Amino acid sequence: VRQDASFASSQAAMSNLLYPRTDIFSAPSADIARNSPGDTVASSQPGATVTLGGKQVAFSPYENNGGTVLAVAGKDFCIVASDTRFGLGYSVPTRRVSRVLKLTDKAVIATSGMQADTSTLHKVLKFKLRQYEHQHAKEMTLAAISQMLGNTLYFKRFFPYYTFNVVGGIDEDGEGFAYGYDAIGSFERVKVVCSGTGQSMIQPVIDNQVDYKQQLGAVKMDLSLQETVDLVKDCFTSAGERDIYTGDFVEICKITKDGVEIEEFALKKD
């Protein structure tokens, strides 16, 4: 008799392990029957809920490391600039990470977003540019680079590079132009463009001061190269006061018919 009772007790314990009781939940059995594991149902206690079954686990492959990038095109030049702060949540792992890449003597790209994807994208672009030079014995034009970047981003549209790019340079006629991109390759040819965490603060300023938007009746005057550089410095200085992901230093690439010149401008480090 003792052996039978012990056997029955062990069987009951094993049954509880393999088939957990559902009546321990305060939700009605009808709700449990209608819902699958992981669903949340109302409890008999006011304002309380019960999660049925297991535990939800989420993972994101993306991380926004911040940064602000912009391009301002003039009559015969283009400015491409980016800050160098690497953000990770509320931490700053490094204050000097370059987001700009010289593509040719007449084109530069600047990229904000996830730094890992930025590095990967820049490596892919350098490979494609070198391949083009070997096949055609010349550098890509600005228009060809803009389309190539759009195609590269669109190819990855189902698992996109978490990057937001601007490209600036001078075309075959010597005129400056800029291109702004979203994460999956849609782009627009413009004179001024900004992307990244400081976009909402800088874009209205360059729209107003360079494109003369919202200035009714104003006579539009082209800025010189130095005036444009000074405007870019002011924009980044102001953005660094409000955006925690923008700061430390600014890399300013000045693109002219003579090539690309890079100037570094220091921002506040707090």
Side-chain angles (χ1 to χ4, degrees):
V1 174
R2 291 198 195 100
Q3 290 180 350
D4 290 342
S6 176
F7 177 79
S9 177
S10 63
Q11 285 292 94
M14 183 64 69
S15 177
N16 287 335
L17 289 174
L18 295 177
Y19 307 101
R21 294 168 54 193
T22 58
D23 57 357
I24 61 174
F25 297 102
S26 54
S29 58
D31 287 341
I32 295 174
R34 288 197 303 267
N35 293 277
S36 58
D39 289 345
T40 300
V41 297
S43 170
S44 58
Q45 299 179 359
T49 59
V50 175
T51 300
L52 303 181
K55 176 182 178 182
Q56 181 180 2
V57 178
F59 167 75
S60 173
Y62 295 121
E63 179 74 41
N64 189 352
N65 298 121
T68 302
V69 297
L70 68 80
V72 180
K75 188 174 182 180
D76 58 355
F77 65 88
C78 187
I79 302 295
V80 176
S82 168
D83 74 309
T84 63
R85 176 171 292 180
F86 181 95
L88 188 65
Y90 291 107
S91 300
V92 181
T94 178
R95 298 182 184 276
R96 285 185 178 272
V97 60
S98 180
R99 294 187 172 90
V100 300
L101 173 67
K102 177 184 173 183
L103 301 174
T104 67
D105 288 335
K106 296 183 178 180
V108 172
I109 184 175
T111 308
S112 66
M114 184 174 178
Q115 190 60 31
D117 281 356
T118 295
S119 299
T120 302
L121 176 62
H122 287 183
K123 288 179 183 178
V124 170
L125 295 179
K126 285 192 288 187
F127 167 78
K128 290 187 175 183
L129 287 167
R130 182 174 297 180
Q131 185 180 46
Y132 182 92
E133 290 178 15
H134 289 325
Q135 292 176 349
H136 301 278
K138 64 177 183 179
E139 289 185 336
M140 268 192 186
T141 63
L142 179 62
I145 289 173
S146 67
Q147 187 63 58
M148 181 264 291
L149 176 57
N151 294 345
T152 302
L153 295 173
Y154 187 72
F155 178 77
K156 286 275 292 179
R157 64 192 179 278
F158 297 115
F159 188 23
Y161 294 118
Y162 192 34
T163 59
F164 305 94
N165 301 273
V166 300
V167 171
I170 54 177
D171 63 10
E172 294 173 290
D173 298 324
E175 185 176 358
F177 283 101
Y179 296 83
Y181 294 79
D182 68 4
I184 57 172
S186 296
F187 66 96
E188 181 182 14
R189 179 171 170 166
V190 292
K191 283 293 185 178
V192 294
V193 64
C194 180
S195 189
T197 54
Q199 178 187 30
S200 60
M201 290 169 277
I202 293 180
Q203 187 70 54
V205 176
I206 56 178
D207 280 340
N208 183 271
Q209 295 297 304
V210 180
D211 265 353
Y212 281 75
K213 293 181 180 179
Q214 298 88 39
Q215 293 195 41
L216 299 178
V219 179
K220 186 174 180 179
M221 300 178 64
D222 294 330
L223 297 178
S224 67
L225 175 61
Q226 189 57 49
E227 288 173 336
T228 305
V229 170
D230 292 339
L231 175 62
V232 168
K233 290 179 179 179
D234 290 341
C235 288
F236 274 97
T237 300
S238 297
E241 294 289 339
R242 293 286 183 176
D243 177 26
I244 63 172
Y245 294 109
T246 300
D248 299 320
F249 298 92
V250 180
E251 290 181 314
I252 303 174
C253 302
K254 295 175 277 189
I255 310 161
T256 63
K257 60 181 178 60
D258 298 323
V260 180
E261 178 186 349
I262 300 179
E263 175 185 346
E264 186 176 87
F265 174 66
L267 299 174
K268 292 175 66 176
K269 298 181 178 62
D270 57 359

